[in-house]
Amino acid sequence: FGAAGEASDIDAYDSEIAAADEGIGTIVRQVQSQRPGAVVIVTADHGEEFGEHGGRYHGTTVYEEQARVPLVVVGPGVAPQRVHAVAQTIDLLPTVISALGIPRPARLRGRDLGPILAKKPGFEADPGLAFAETDEYTLLAKGDLRLVCARRANACNLYDRASDPSEHRSLSA
């Protein structure tokens, strides 16, 4: 709590996440009770930064705190798990059409996350690939590696989130 007794921005954000999590749980339970076998997919379009890399809220940088979002998939054949592979929202359509048995259009971008969701043999070997950008930054992520480029400065930094989860020690040298 701040000096005036008000919750900090982070506390307020954490409270919003807890409320959203509770609401998602309620929706999933209602859908499952009324439509057994239905699939529910929930995601978001951005995270929030509270100064970790000089940005505030969202849309200012592409570091993990802004680029990482939840992806919740509940349904038959989906193993309860926490997956660490990189994924993008463009992976959702290929995943859904594959699950429905619809042939994949040749020009469809993204990958089928089905093997990861079902924990099929070899799913751990797919580190995933993601791209994100703001007006000033570009991110290329693969597994634990994050290449963050500041376009105006014409400079990039490479981070390994396995050894540096806060993305403060560049390996680019």
Side-chain angles (χ1 to χ4, degrees), residues 8-99:
S8 72
D9 288 347
I10 296 171
D11 291 335
Y13 186 65
D14 287 347
S15 177
E16 291 171 5
I17 290 171
D21 188 49
E22 184 178 328
I24 291 167
T26 299
I27 291 169
V28 167
R29 285 188 297 278
Q30 287 181 349
V31 168
Q32 288 179 328
S33 72
Q34 295 177 16
R35 297 263 190 175
V39 175
V40 178
I41 300 173
V42 179
T43 191
D45 62 342
H46 59 77
E48 296 291 324
E49 182 176 347
F50 296 99
E52 295 92 338
H53 290 95
R56 292 292 288 172
Y57 307 116
H58 59 268
T60 55
T61 71
V62 293
Y63 289 95
E64 194 77 358
E65 55 271 9
Q66 288 194 40
R68 185 184 188 109
V69 298
L71 173 58
V72 178
V73 182
V74 179
V78 178
Q81 62 183 310
R82 182 174 185 155
V83 176
H84 297 282
V86 174
Q88 302 183 93
T89 54
I90 64 168
D91 297 332
L92 295 177
L93 182 57
T95 302
V96 170
I97 66 169
S98 174

